[in-house]
Amino acid sequence: MSSAAAKKQRPKYLSLTAILFQIRLPLPGWVSILHRVSGALLVFPFAAWALYLLDVSLRSEQGFSHVREYLAMPAAKLGLIVLLWAACHHFCAGIRYLALDLNKGIELRPARISGGLVVVVSLALTAFFAAKLW
Amino acid sequence: MKRVIVGAHYGTRDWLAQRITAVVMAVYTIFALAVFASTPSTYEAWKALFAQGWMRIATLLFMASLAWHAWVGVRDILMDYVKHDGLRLALQVATVLLLAGYAGWAIEILWR
């Protein structure tokens, strides 16, 4: 009796390199974990940052121009790009989950295609909004 | 005596609330993008936009949805990854305070 399972080395310990390079997360898995990461980033720090920018920009004429100058700084631009990506990814992945909840596209093939679409479309939207802002 | 072991159904309620608030925020986002695109980028226009009653109410509804939605989402993340009960409770309390603070701040900004 020699099955494939019996030959495998057990127990298998998961090293960091195994988690990073050996275990391949399928595309919908990436969409899922990125939905969490982007959601967490949007709660903190991005929501606080956005409220701060809204606050200062509505406070006074000087505040408004201060926000414009501040957002033109390279570090702020970089932050804004990450914010845009997090918002776009969370939005697109969220729409996909709403569809999945309604049993739309739950077969393996459409689920993989829609997962790829989420990644591509959210990156394209990020690039679009980033380009529009400067 | 009627004993309820499981079935408080708060899971279903939270799940549904997260979806409904997501739709509210998605609608606001589309609407806000359209409004921002047609607003000149001057202080006067920006201030006038947020002086409108409907814009204030819509933004408030967005913030309320965000707080509720984010509470469900962050709690899910904390339940999945933070195994220590005390630490998880502390982080959940911090999340509630943060989100309540955001809502209060938004009201302060909108009705100044």
Side-chain angles (χ1 to χ4, degrees):
Chain A
M1 282 266 292
S2 67
S3 67
K7 282 182 197 159
K8 280 187 181 169
Q9 283 243 307
R10 299 288 179 195
K12 186 170 175 66
Y13 296 107
L14 296 179
S15 62
L16 186 63
T17 47
I19 291 167
L20 287 176
F21 303 110
Q22 276 174 280
I23 298 170
R24 298 286 302 272
L25 196 59
L27 185 61
W30 278 107
V31 173
S32 174
I33 194 67
L34 288 176
H35 192 236
R36 283 202 156 177
V37 171
S38 59
L41 283 175
L42 287 170
V43 170
F44 194 83
F46 288 143
W49 195 38
L51 275 170
Y52 166 75
L53 293 175
L54 185 66
D55 192 350
V56 176
S57 69
L58 283 174
R59 206 175 271 274
S60 63
E61 181 94 54
Q62 291 94 318
F64 186 81
S65 49
H66 170 74
V67 166
R68 298 199 75 170
E69 287 162 27
Y70 169 67
L71 287 180
M73 280 162 42
K77 275 186 181 177
L78 191 66
L80 201 56
I81 290 176
V82 181
L83 185 158
L84 283 171
W85 170 80
C88 291
H89 183 90
H90 205 79
F91 184 93
C92 294
I95 300 279
R96 177 171 175 269
Y97 289 130
L98 286 175
L100 292 177
D101 285 340
L102 297 171
N103 286 337
K104 304 265 188 259
I106 51 171
E107 300 299 321
L108 185 59
R109 215 180 121 72
R112 280 196 175 145
I113 292 171
S114 63
L117 268 177
V118 165
V119 174
V120 172
V121 170
S122 52
L123 285 173
L125 281 175
T126 307
F128 171 76
F129 288 122
K132 277 221 111 173
L133 282 174
W134 54 85
Chain B
M1 196 176 120
K2 194 182 172 206
R3 293 170 64 200
V4 181
I5 313 296
V6 289
H9 292 299
Y10 60 83
T12 319
R13 190 194 61 196
D14 287 348
W15 178 88
L16 190 61
Q18 198 177 32
R19 269 80 188 156
I20 293 168
T21 51
V23 172
V24 171
M25 286 188 287
V27 170
Y28 176 89
T29 303
I30 304 285
F31 153 83
L33 282 176
V35 171
F36 293 160
S38 61
T39 304
S41 58
T42 63
Y43 173 68
E44 285 71 29
W46 186 241
K47 189 158 177 65
L49 174 61
F50 281 93
Q52 308 261 12
W54 54 266
M55 188 62 187
R56 286 176 170 171
I57 296 294
T59 308
L60 181 68
L61 288 176
F62 174 85
M63 277 309 302
S65 295
L66 187 148
W68 197 349
H69 182 92
W71 162 242
V72 179
V74 173
R75 200 201 52 182
D76 283 349
I77 293 177
L78 294 175
M79 284 194 299
D80 278 353
Y81 303 127
V82 184
K83 298 299 173 197
H84 188 279
D85 290 340
L87 179 61
R88 190 174 61 247
L89 180 64
L91 288 171
Q92 286 178 341
V93 170
T95 305
V96 170
L97 293 177
L98 179 73
L99 293 172
Y102 283 169
W105 192 5
I107 292 168
E108 203 251 310
I109 293 169
L110 292 167
W111 279 274
R112 183 153 46 204

